[in-house]
Amino acid sequence: MTEIKSVKLTEQQKNDFTEAFILFDKKGEGNIKTEDVSTVFRSVGMHATEGEVNDLLEKMDLLDFGTVELEQFLDIAGQLLAREKDQRQRLRDAFKMIDAGGRGYIDRAEFKRLLTTIGETLTDEEADEMLAEADVDKDGKIKSRTLLRMFLSEK
């Protein structure tokens, strides 16, 4: 089996995940259905997709088993948190590349140009909608912390 990155959960995180797990362990048998794992994570504010969760379940040989025990669930939580941490760092690094001057923001016009011309491009309308959300201060500057919040659903 491939080694999967994980972070060590804090006691508070373990408690939060355990409480959520117990709520979904309807029969009190110490396990939940694999199909409920994503829902349990969403109930504690994580934004893991079904695909991400299923990928981890598959790598841990749990997808076909049908249930996940608490310790396995906590392992998955640590792995999802590690992925989120990696995503956050990659976004920060990408932002630094775009913000070559190190100002901590990207001009709205430059960001729109990137959104409509590079990678999976957005239409002008889609870009304007995203920019309206991203330009919180309405000053024409898109801040790195705002983008992180948008793309990672941080609070």
Side-chain angles (χ1 to χ4, degrees):
M1 182 169 21
T2 312
E3 185 174 333
I4 304 169
K5 284 174 117 178
S6 186
V7 297
K8 182 173 171 49
L9 300 177
T10 66
E11 285 305 312
Q12 184 61 52
Q13 288 171 321
K14 283 183 188 176
N15 291 338
D16 292 345
F17 288 126
T18 299
E19 283 180 33
F21 181 93
I22 290 169
L23 289 173
F24 281 80
D25 180 12
K26 302 203 185 320
K27 296 180 181 177
E29 295 176 343
N31 60 57
I32 60 172
K33 294 179 183 176
T34 53
E35 63 210 38
D36 290 336
V37 173
S38 296
T39 305
V40 179
F41 284 126
R42 281 192 298 277
S43 77
V44 292
M46 289 187 74
H47 300 280
T49 66
E50 292 280 336
E52 289 172 314
V53 171
N54 286 341
D55 180 48
L56 290 174
L57 289 169
E58 188 174 318
K59 286 179 181 174
M60 295 175 69
D61 294 325
L62 297 172
L63 195 56
D64 295 327
F65 190 64
T67 60
V68 174
E69 295 176 0
L70 178 59
E71 286 305 314
Q72 295 165 324
F73 179 78
L74 294 174
D75 286 344
I76 294 168
Q79 293 168 34
L80 288 171
L81 289 171
R83 282 185 178 194
E84 186 177 285
K85 183 178 177 183
D86 287 347
Q87 288 173 335
R88 188 176 294 116
Q89 187 58 50
R90 283 195 307 271
L91 279 172
R92 282 190 185 111
D93 292 345
F95 190 88
K96 285 178 186 175
M97 289 175 60
I98 297 167
D99 178 25
R103 303 170 297 181
Y105 67 88
I106 304 170
D107 291 316
R108 183 182 173 119
E110 174 63 10
F111 192 51
K112 182 174 182 177
R113 185 188 70 73
L114 293 171
L115 290 173
T116 57
T117 60
I118 297 176
E120 287 189 40
T121 60
L122 301 179
T123 65
D124 280 342
E125 185 178 285
E126 291 169 330
D128 287 337
E129 188 176 311
M130 179 180 263
L131 289 165
E133 184 180 341
D135 189 3
V136 184
D137 302 331
K138 307 298 180 222
D139 59 0
K141 299 173 183 176
I142 311 301
K143 280 85 174 168
S144 63
R145 68 180 177 276
T146 304
L147 284 180
L148 282 171
R149 213 175 290 123
M150 285 176 62
F151 287 114
L152 298 175
S153 301
E154 291 181 346
K155 295 190 181 193

